[in-house]
Amino acid sequence: MLGSIKEVFAFTRGETIALCVLLAITLIGGGLVIYDHSRQSLPPRLIFEALETEPAKVTETAPSMPEHKPQTVALPTRPLRLNLNTAPAESLQLLPLVGATLSRRIVEYRTQHGPFASVDQLVAVNGIGKKNLEKLRPYLICE
């Protein structure tokens, strides 16, 4: 028979310390992996509106490979912007200067007063002044 439990699990002081360090590293690493996965599993829903329908065509060639055929890539002609009238609070939080509270206020204002007629109407929301509006303007459209 194997003997008593004390004889089977008898470790020296060095072995005990090594096992404790390995256990701590495993627990911390596992916790970090779980934390990182939980942050990525529910990404915010993004709603961007393309301002033009015709994409620009860019041709790329590989200079080191002469037999390489040119590859055509479609790029939007203008940057994508967030539609202020359809964007959920999670998307609004991705804008500079807009956090959870301010995005919630924007959505509440839109719900109470109807869709925004222009981006300038955003100053009516508590917490957005003229300076902040000018910083947000490049990222927003109203349709």
Side-chain angles (χ1 to χ4, degrees), residues 60-70:
E60 296 178 356
T61 58
S64 62
M65 298 179 169
E67 70 279 349
H68 186 270
K69 294 181 182 179

Side-chain angles (χ1 to χ4, degrees), residues 22-87:
L22 287 174
L23 181 62
I25 290 171
T26 304
L27 290 174
I28 291 171
L32 290 174
V33 168
I34 291 170
Y35 173 74
D36 189 42
H37 179 69
S38 69
R39 289 183 54 208
Q40 293 176 358
S41 64
L42 298 171
R45 187 172 55 136
L46 299 177
I47 299 175
F48 286 102
E49 303 287 335
L51 296 178
E52 289 187 6
T53 57
E54 288 294 317
K57 300 225 177 195
V58 176
T59 303
E60 296 178 356
T61 58
S64 62
M65 298 179 169
E67 70 279 349
H68 186 270
K69 294 181 182 179
Q71 183 180 21
T72 302
V73 179
L75 298 174
T77 56
R78 289 191 187 173
L80 297 176
R81 294 184 182 179
L82 195 61
N83 188 341
L84 196 53
N85 290 323
T86 59

